[in-house]
Amino acid sequence: MATVQQFPTETKGLREAGRPELVELSDAEEFDLEIVPVAKRIGDATVRMLAYNGSVPGPTLKVREGSTVTVHVTNHGDLEATVHWHGLRLENRYDGTHDTQAPIPVGETFTYLVHVPDPGAYWYHPHIREDYGQELGLYGNILVVPEEPDYWPPANREELLTLDDILIEDGKVAPFGRDETSHVAMGRFGNVMLVSGETDLSLEARRGEVVRCYLTNTANTRVFNVSFSEARMKLVGGDSGHYEHEELVEEVLIAPSERVVVDVRFAESGEVTLKHTTPERSYNLATVNVADEAAEPDLAQQFAALRTNADMVEERKRIEPYLDAPPDKTLAFVAEMNIEPPEGPVVYACPMHPEVVSDEPGSCPRCGMKLLATDAPTAYVCPMHPEVTSNQPDKCPKCGMKLVPADLAGAAPEEHHHGRGEHHAHHHGEPEPEHAHEAAQGIEWEDDMVEVNRMTTTENMRWKLIDRETGAENAAINWKFRVGDRVKIRLVNEMDSDHPMPHPFHVHGAGRFLILSRDGVVEPNLVWKDTVLVRTGETVDILLDVSNVGRWMAHCHIAEHHESGMMFSFEVEETR
């Protein structure tokens, strides 16, 4: 059996990762960005990571709307590279993909002209072996300051926070093969949470202060559902600018690569916790220590005001004819699994619901996943009461649950490390009365099939985008548009798939889009987007506003799905 060549993990001789800088750039200014290996402390481990300019995250670039800056990228990393400027409608040749440039060899430099036409929070990251580079720390924010002085509501100050996780095993980042992507089924979930690269981030605020938080999900696959305890939160912006209507919210959902802009008012002194909450558990991500000193000026009245933005109201009028119109394009999301069965007698089981076992191939009635062949069991056990065993598939006398094959019962998800370096069991706090899938809102919150996910690669698992009009799949899709087109695209996340799960669908800088509807329900609050989360079994209609000439990519932004081929490119030509 051939040895899998892995990327290095040794930290000896590497400089220690620093904290990210805020770099303000004027129009036409130049900046140097360097990809380098670093040693970084994460919890109890010191691990080898990759960094832009020696920090994780990389430096935040603060640029005024309409500016163009020059960024010289030098690659001293582990493999050839590009830098993708996520969400920016810049010149096509600087988009940072294999479609638009030759990769930057190790030791070489490439120069990007980065144009920033739209206000908001954007980010930059690799587009070659994104699963590896992004997990290792190659990501950083771009803050585009609006020309319009009251584009955003008043705030005392701003914070940019990246939300991430990383998989640490045996004191190192879990290994990556040089020639093969793993964890292709669900994406690589981490067991350590990071906010702005830290496990124990602590921020400061003053009593009554309104802080504008730009939140970016830089994780490979994890969806975050975040809130601030003991503080009110106002949703004001998304991927590419402000919302139609500002609204007070309890929590915000952020899929991989999405950005959310919230104003947070810390009304009382004390400790506030930034949390990530799922139907089954809660993670403490960071703390905010609120001093008793009052913030000046007092913006309580302005925070309470919920504004409506006239430019987005106009967009509401413009989309009206498209709501009931048939889609111009329909794109389906589908998985194919081809895992070789073991030799000898087999049964078919769901990796996510080990109690679902069949003598015949089929799909799980609970989540729709393809049942996988596994060795026919010689022993059965109760997942709830492991002391209850049998050589027959009976029911547990203690709880009535169906006994499952013993080897499947042992394949539970691993322990997770939460913020502040704490260790908690996978299930903690009060148990939920139902399994995550019944309460999950069409989202995979955790890796519920750890061993199966780890063994899936681009050889045995294929994620597909399918043009339902032509049947073309992934790179064979050949869409052509012109500048000025408004294209209604229907995104269908098929349940008739070997592994139904949510997908964050991202469109590169050909334009930006508005969400028209989800499962036929008109989107109540418009914001310009470049990424949309399409939940399991969901149909989402978007309207792409085409504005930029070139060859552009569209893909799932789960890094491992992208690497498995769940992407295509399309052409945009000038208006006739």
Side-chain angles (χ1 to χ4, degrees), residues 184 334-337 457-458 460-464 473-474 564:
V184 168
V334 177
E336 284 185 356
M337 299 184 78
T457 69
T458 53
N460 57 30
M461 179 96 200
R462 185 166 178 243
W463 284 103
K464 299 193 295 185
E473 300 177 0
N474 292 344
S564 79

Side-chain angles (χ1 to χ4, degrees), residues 25 41 151 183 279 304 309 343 376 392 409 443 478 487:
L25 297 174
R41 190 78 175 170
Y151 184 85
H183 298 80
N309 291 302
E343 295 181 1
Q392 298 293 325
I443 294 170
N478 187 29
V487 186

Side-chain angles (χ1 to χ4, degrees), residues 252-416:
V252 289
L253 191 75
I254 315 176
S257 89
E258 284 188 310
R259 285 86 63 212
V260 168
V261 188
V262 290
D263 288 356
V264 185
R265 184 170 185 267
F266 300 96
E268 304 294 337
S269 59
E271 186 175 277
V272 172
T273 304
L274 175 63
K275 291 179 173 288
H276 162 50
T277 305
T278 78
E280 284 200 329
R281 60 193 63 89
S282 179
Y283 300 86
N284 293 340
L285 300 178
T287 58
V288 183
N289 297 301
V290 184
D292 194 50
E293 176 190 358
E296 293 291 342
D298 181 359
L299 298 177
Q301 186 173 349
Q302 292 92 327
F303 179 82
L306 301 178
R307 309 185 317 172
T308 294
N309 291 302
D311 58 333
M312 300 311 295
V313 172
E314 286 302 309
E315 292 300 333
R316 171 76 60 186
K317 296 175 184 176
R318 291 179 67 196
I319 70 170
E320 189 67 30
Y322 297 92
L323 294 177
D324 295 326
D328 299 300
K329 303 289 184 182
T330 298
L331 201 62
F333 303 171
V334 177
E336 284 185 356
M337 299 184 78
N338 187 29
I339 296 176
E340 288 294 321
E343 295 181 1
V346 299
V347 294
Y348 297 88
C350 176
M352 303 187 72
H353 299 99
E355 70 278 11
V356 176
V357 181
S358 171
D359 293 330
E360 301 291 336
S363 299
C364 176
R366 298 183 66 179
C367 68
M369 184 169 177
K370 178 182 181 179
L371 302 183
L372 299 183
T374 186
D375 289 314
T378 57
Y380 296 83
V381 65
C382 175
M384 305 287 289
H385 301 96
E387 71 276 11
V388 176
T389 61
S390 172
N391 61 1
Q392 298 293 325
D394 302 319
K395 290 190 175 182
C396 175
K398 292 187 176 183
C399 67
M401 186 171 181
K402 181 180 177 181
L403 303 187
V404 304
D407 58 337
L408 291 174
E414 299 173 353
E415 170 182 282
H416 289 262

Side-chain angles (χ1 to χ4, degrees), residues 24-30 62-70 113-116 147:
E24 297 193 37
L25 297 174
S26 301
D27 185 34
E29 196 166 350
E30 299 191 11
K62 187 175 182 180
V63 190
R64 291 205 68 84
E65 178 186 354
S67 297
T68 301
V69 297
T70 301
L113 294 184
V114 181
H115 180 58
V116 293
E147 281 293 291

